[in-house]
């Protein structure tokens, strides 16, 4: 069952009745769902004659760059002045696929001081209260699916087109791990059926997302699998990747996407983690995935400055790789007291 909070669709519908200057913002390190939901909304709004911009806090993976509309995306990190100007004159700001302003990095303070009404569309747990209008539904498998419902609820399903469908399909496929995660519902498949009816080539989209590996990325996968460790007594698996290992494979953004799932693919493993060193940011980026009841959103929130969903969350740490692994093992050994928080 859908938990529809806060958003009065008729209010947003009337806001969108006359042409507006709209800015769409997805989260830092945008993934398939972040870019897919932003582009899906973009292709909807331009049909309604809104002057629409997308500003990403930083760059996004190459395997998403084929999507129609990516050429208009402004990267805040490399084009700060232009991004600030556009934000300054915005009438409405849509934030997609994140639940807290710290998820947009340095754009946070700019958004905090911006008086344009904000509309959050997101499926992450425990959303913050920064938006004037919230469409938050933690039961949803992807924000991209929510964009479909959003357009539908406003009464504009006749505006669905191939560009919207490609973007939303990409977001749904990537965030549900190709319809595998538990939050994939009959409704998800119904939505996908509607998207497929818009003339998208789903096989080609899968190829573009998953079969566009560089040789370097496959070598990195080899290193990751070689580094994979299992903690049998806790049904846990983890991978580490150091900066020098990444460098040895000419790391490009997106190359580590999905590696965490290999741990979870081992029979009996219920919790998987990957710890990826990022020397230029001085942090280690962490991803957690789980099966069943282990809540990685809580785990990451309490211990690794992160959050996300019950079965998929991220986090970060300024400890060394070695210390993070010790902390992780310590927390698992800690008899579940800290895990059940
Ligand atoms: P990933 O491991 O792929 O980076 O992230 C898994 C999920 O957790 C995604 O839905 C992502 O948006 C969310 N997530 C990743 N890092 C963070 C974080 O630092 N804080 C919060 N609240 N969510 C995160
Ligand atoms: Mn998402």
């Amino acid at each position: 069952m859908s938990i529809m909070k806060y958003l009065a669709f008729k209010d947003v519908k009337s806001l969108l009745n006359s042409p507006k200057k709209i800015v769409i913002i997805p989260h830092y390190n945008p993934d398939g769902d972040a870019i897919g939901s932003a582009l899906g909304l973009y292709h909807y709004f331009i049909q309604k004659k809104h002057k629409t911009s997308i500003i990403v806090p930083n760059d996004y993976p190459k395997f998403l760059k084929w999507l129609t509309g990516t050429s208009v995306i402004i990267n805040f990190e490399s084009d700060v002045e232009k991004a600030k100007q556009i934000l300054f004159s915005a009438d409405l700001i849509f934030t997609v696929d994140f639940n807290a302003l710290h998820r947009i990095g340095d754009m946070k303070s700019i958004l905090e001081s911006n008086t344009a009404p904000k509309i959050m569309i997101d499926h992450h747990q425990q959303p913050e209260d920064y938006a004037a209008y919230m469409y938050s539904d933690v039961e949803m498998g992807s924000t991209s699916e929510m964009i479909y419902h959003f357009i539908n609820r406003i009464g504009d399903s006749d505006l669905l087109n191939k560009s919207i469908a490609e973007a939303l399909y990409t977001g749904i496929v990537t965030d549900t791990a190709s319809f595998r995660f538990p939050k994939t519902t009959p409704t998800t498949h119904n939505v996908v059926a509607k998207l497929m009816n818009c003339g998208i080539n789903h096989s080609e989209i899968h190829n573009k997302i998953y079969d566009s590996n560089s040789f370097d990325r496959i070598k990195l996968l080899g290193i990751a699998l070689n580094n994979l460790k299992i903690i049998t007594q806790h049904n846990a698996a983890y991978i580490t990747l150091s900066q020098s290992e990444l460098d040895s494979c000419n790391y490009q953004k997106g190359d580590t996407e999905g590696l965490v799932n290999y741990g979870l693919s081992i029979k009996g493993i219920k919790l998987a983690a990957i710890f990826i060193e990022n020397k230029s940011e001085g942090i280690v980026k962490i991803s957690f995935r789980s099966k069943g009841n282990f809540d990685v959103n809580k785990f990451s929130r309490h211990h690794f400055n992160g959050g996300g969903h019950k079965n998929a969350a991220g986090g970060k740490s300024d400890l060394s790789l070695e210390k993070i692994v010790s902390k992780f093992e310590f927390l698992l050994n800690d008899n579940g007291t800290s895990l059940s928080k």
Side-chain angles (χ1 to χ4, degrees):
M1 255 300 284
S2 205
I3 306 165
M4 202 80 73
K5 287 181 190 158
Y6 318 123
L7 188 81
F9 283 90
K10 68 172 177 13
D11 292 347
V12 175
K13 186 176 174 160
S14 59
L15 275 179
L16 293 171
N17 261 344
S18 56
K20 293 277 181 331
K21 280 182 248 159
I22 297 179
V23 179
I24 304 167
I25 305 172
H27 59 77
Y28 190 81
N29 286 335
D31 56 8
D33 190 31
I35 295 294
S37 48
L39 282 171
L41 261 190
Y42 170 84
H43 290 297
Y44 164 53
F45 287 151
I46 57 171
Q47 291 181 77
K48 294 186 61 104
K49 307 288 177 242
H50 300 298
K51 192 172 182 325
T52 311
S53 309
I54 301 173
I55 303 178
V56 291
N58 66 342
D59 202 8
Y60 54 97
K62 259 205 196 112
F63 66 79
L64 298 170
K65 295 205 167 165
W66 57 271
L67 280 160
T68 309
T70 46
S71 59
V72 308
I73 295 179
I74 295 160
N75 179 349
F76 180 79
E77 224 169 50
S78 56
D79 222 343
V80 183
E81 284 317 312
K82 186 172 178 193
K84 278 185 177 167
Q85 238 173 32
I86 289 171
L87 278 165
F88 185 71
S89 60
D91 299 320
L92 287 175
I93 297 177
F94 279 76
T95 69
V96 295
D97 201 34
F98 66 88
N99 57 355
L101 286 183
H102 72 85
R103 298 276 291 129
I104 52 174
D106 291 344
M107 290 180 73
K108 177 178 194 259
S109 57
I110 296 170
L111 242 67
E112 277 168 342
S113 59
N114 195 303
T115 53
K118 295 169 195 78
I119 297 151
M120 172 201 282
I121 305 183
D122 180 54
H123 65 138
H124 291 88
Q125 312 233 358
Q126 291 133 305
E128 262 182 12
D129 189 21
Y130 66 82
Y133 303 90
M134 283 169 82
Y135 174 23
S136 163
D137 188 345
V138 301
E139 299 305 319
M140 284 280 161
S142 64
T143 302
S144 294
E145 181 178 334
M146 297 175 72
I147 302 294
Y148 175 91
H149 297 307
F150 178 80
I151 296 172
N152 205 27
R153 289 288 296 271
I154 289 188
D156 278 335
S157 52
D158 54 327
L159 293 183
L160 282 174
N161 61 22
K162 193 176 170 190
S163 300
I164 297 177
E166 274 184 348
L168 299 186
Y169 186 86
T170 297
I172 293 171
V173 161
T174 51
D175 249 32
T176 60
S178 302
F179 312 110
R180 183 188 316 169
F181 288 157
K183 282 180 180 158
T184 309
T185 61
T187 305
T188 311
H189 284 286
N190 280 328
V191 168
V192 166
K194 298 270 181 2
L195 299 178
M196 288 178 79
N197 278 331
C198 294
I200 62 171
N201 184 338
H202 66 283
S203 295
E204 206 172 281
I205 295 176
H206 280 261
N207 274 337
K208 284 173 175 161
I209 298 171
Y210 296 110
D211 297 338
S212 57
N213 286 309
S214 62
F215 185 35
D216 276 332
R217 179 167 193 247
I218 296 300
K219 286 193 285 186
L220 187 65
L221 168 64
I223 293 175
L225 294 180
N226 207 37
N227 290 353
L228 193 146
K229 302 255 180 340
I230 286 181
I231 312 173
T232 316
Q233 68 271 33
H234 297 302
N235 300 318
Y238 68 89
I239 291 170
T240 56
L241 282 173
S242 67
Q243 184 71 61
S244 59
E245 287 169 326
L246 294 165
D247 292 345
S248 74
C249 296
N250 299 308
Y251 169 76
Q252 304 283 312
K253 209 168 199 72
D255 282 355
T256 56
E257 206 84 19
L259 294 182
V260 63
N261 295 317
Y262 284 93
L264 213 56
S265 75
I266 299 166
K267 195 172 173 146
I269 295 296
K270 297 272 180 355
L271 168 66
I274 188 165
F275 305 105
I276 303 165
E277 194 174 31
N278 182 331
K279 280 240 159 103
S280 67
E281 289 185 24
I283 58 159
V284 171
K285 170 78 183 86
I286 307 167
S287 288
F288 294 111
R289 300 291 185 269
S290 68
K291 278 183 181 162
N293 282 332
F294 190 91
D295 188 333
V296 288
N297 168 47
K298 281 191 190 154
F299 185 63
S300 186
R301 209 169 265 269
H302 282 115
H303 305 294
F304 294 99
N305 305 305
H309 315 276
K310 185 179 167 198
N311 297 122
K316 53 186 172 304
S317 171
D318 49 19
L319 297 173
S320 68
L321 272 179
E322 244 176 32
K323 290 211 165 110
I324 292 170
V325 167
S326 307
K327 178 175 172 178
F328 179 62
E329 291 187 332
F330 172 83
L331 290 170
L332 293 184
N333 282 328
D334 197 22
N335 245 336
T337 46
S338 38
L339 303 183
S340 57
K341 260 195 238 162

